[in-house]
């Protein structure tokens, strides 16, 4: 496993749970606004943390932490992800996975083996615009399959989209809403211009709040709960 970082405690990554966060190194997408360039761009990679170190740390936190959030980068491109999660689950922790949903076969296995308690999938764009936003060719059928698997699953989930004004217009966001019609929860995530894969994105502006509120209201025709954060 290529582990790029370990955050020992977080109160915000897994709603209602105190968790540790494991950051996996490497991603198959290249979203310009990515706020974790050091986990995406190989020239910025730091030496990996050993799995053994993560397990040792978690063994000392039983009863103090409830869960582990696994994020990246993109966790599902790591070959040993299933085994890694199995070992953490055996220690009694709940697991939250953050994913871009590109590897539906991995999500299928993780759900079938009941290895996840919460899954959060980023939806980057309406399908026709995916490649333009993530800067690499995309298997849109795999994205759709991930959405279907998550909608059918019995676990807690959320879909979320980072809203960058220059990347997605209102119509794009409403078309994303159609992709996940019937979902329980969708998060419109404001872009925070602190770090970005492409430096010029640090000058990006967010939509005004009243416009985001209007979009949220329209989305609520298709989705039970929409949050702006
Ligand atoms: S935003 Fe997510 S999917 Fe996009 S490059 Fe960064 S880690 Fe990868």
């Amino acid at each position: 496993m290529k582990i790029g970082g370990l955050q020992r405690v977080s109160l915000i990554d897994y709603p209602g749970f105190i968790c540790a966060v494991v950051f996996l190194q490497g991603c198959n997408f290249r979203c310009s606004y990515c706020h974790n360039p050091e986990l995406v761009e190989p020239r910025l990679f730091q030496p990996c943390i050993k799995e053994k170190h993560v397990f040792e740390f978690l063994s000392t936190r039983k009863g103090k932490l409830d869960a582990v959030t696994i994020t990246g980068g993109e966790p599902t491109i790591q070959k040993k992800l299933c085994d890694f999660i199995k070992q953490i689950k055996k220690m009694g922790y709940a697991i939250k996975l953050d994913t871009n949903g590109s590897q539906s076969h991995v999500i299928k296995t993780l759900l079938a083996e009941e290895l996840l308690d919460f899954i959060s999938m980023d939806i980057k764009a309406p399908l026709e615009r995916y490649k333009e936003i993530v800067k690499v060719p995309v298997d849109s059928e795999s994205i759709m399959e991930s959405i279907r698997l998550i909608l059918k699953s019995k676990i807690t989930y959320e879909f979320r989209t980072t809203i960058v004004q220059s990347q997605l217009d209102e119509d794009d966001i409403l078309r994303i809403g159609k992709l996940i019609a019937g979902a329980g929860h969708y998060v419109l995530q404001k872009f925070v211009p602190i770090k970005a894969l492409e430096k010029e994105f640090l000058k990006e502006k967010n939509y005004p709040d009243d416009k985001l509120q209007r979009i949220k209201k329209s989305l609520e025709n298709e989705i039970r709960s929409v949050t702006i954060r």
Side-chain angles (χ1 to χ4, degrees):
M1 293 290 289
K2 293 185 174 152
I3 301 169
L6 171 64
Q7 185 179 328
R8 290 164 172 257
V9 65
S10 166
L11 303 176
I12 58 169
D13 282 271
Y14 193 143
F17 283 69
I18 303 172
C19 69
V21 185
V22 176
F23 295 86
L24 298 183
Q25 210 175 55
C27 186
N28 52 338
F29 286 178
R30 287 292 180 276
C31 315
S32 306
Y33 54 77
C34 177
H35 66 284
N36 278 331
E38 67 283 359
L39 295 169
V40 170
E41 188 53 65
R43 76 189 155 79
L44 302 175
F45 287 176
Q46 295 293 312
C48 285
I49 295 170
K50 290 194 166 68
E51 276 171 60
K52 187 172 150 256
H53 173 78
V54 174
F55 294 132
E56 279 170 6
F57 165 73
L58 290 174
S59 68
T60 66
R61 287 302 184 275
K62 287 184 187 171
K64 297 190 180 86
L65 295 174
D66 310 306
V68 177
T69 293
I70 300 178
T71 189
E74 174 48 39
T76 61
I77 61 171
Q78 304 247 357
K79 295 214 163 25
K80 293 191 197 156
L81 181 67
C82 277
D83 290 340
F84 182 65
I85 292 178
K86 265 181 205 164
Q87 288 200 57
I88 298 175
K89 260 198 106 62
K90 257 192 225 155
M91 299 172 92
Y93 292 105
I95 302 283
K96 173 174 178 262
L97 177 75
D98 293 341
T99 179
N100 63 25
S102 58
Q103 313 296 309
S104 57
H105 61 288
V106 178
I107 292 172
K108 189 175 184 178
T109 304
L110 291 170
L111 290 172
E113 296 197 20
E114 300 184 349
L115 293 174
L116 304 180
D117 301 277
F118 189 137
I119 186 164
S120 175
M121 176 177 165
D122 281 342
I123 316 270
K124 303 292 182 182
L127 292 182
E128 330 64 83
R129 295 202 57 223
Y130 242 85
K131 184 178 170 194
E132 195 187 327
I133 302 297
V134 307
K135 311 282 187 213
V136 295
V138 175
D139 176 356
S140 47
E141 184 40 43
S142 190
I143 298 285
M144 282 313 297
E145 178 62 4
S146 294
I147 292 173
R148 286 190 289 266
L149 287 164
I150 292 169
L151 286 175
K152 266 198 311 195
S153 75
K154 302 273 186 286
I155 64 169
T156 310
Y157 66 82
E158 69 179 22
F159 296 103
R160 63 185 184 189
T161 299
T162 302
I163 307 294
V164 181
Q165 200 164 193
S166 68
Q167 303 291 284
L168 298 175
D169 64 23
E170 184 169 342
D171 185 54
D172 289 327
I173 302 167
L174 296 179
R175 281 190 290 149
I176 292 173
K178 302 259 181 244
L179 296 180
I180 55 168
H185 193 208
Y186 181 40
V187 178
L188 301 174
Q189 193 162 262
K190 291 183 188 177
F191 174 66
V192 182
I194 292 174
K195 265 195 298 175
L197 196 57
E198 302 292 338
K199 293 258 179 326
E200 64 267 30
F201 273 70
L202 297 177
K203 295 183 207 134
E204 276 288 337
K205 291 203 169 56
N206 272 303
Y207 278 112
D209 283 346
D210 58 337
K211 188 167 181 181
L212 274 182
Q213 286 295 341
R214 200 178 63 230
I215 295 172
K216 167 177 150 69
K217 212 159 186 285
S218 300
L219 287 164
E220 282 167 347
N221 293 324
E222 322 252 12
I223 299 157
R224 270 200 302 286
S225 150
V226 180
T227 308
I228 299 168
R229 73 173 174 223

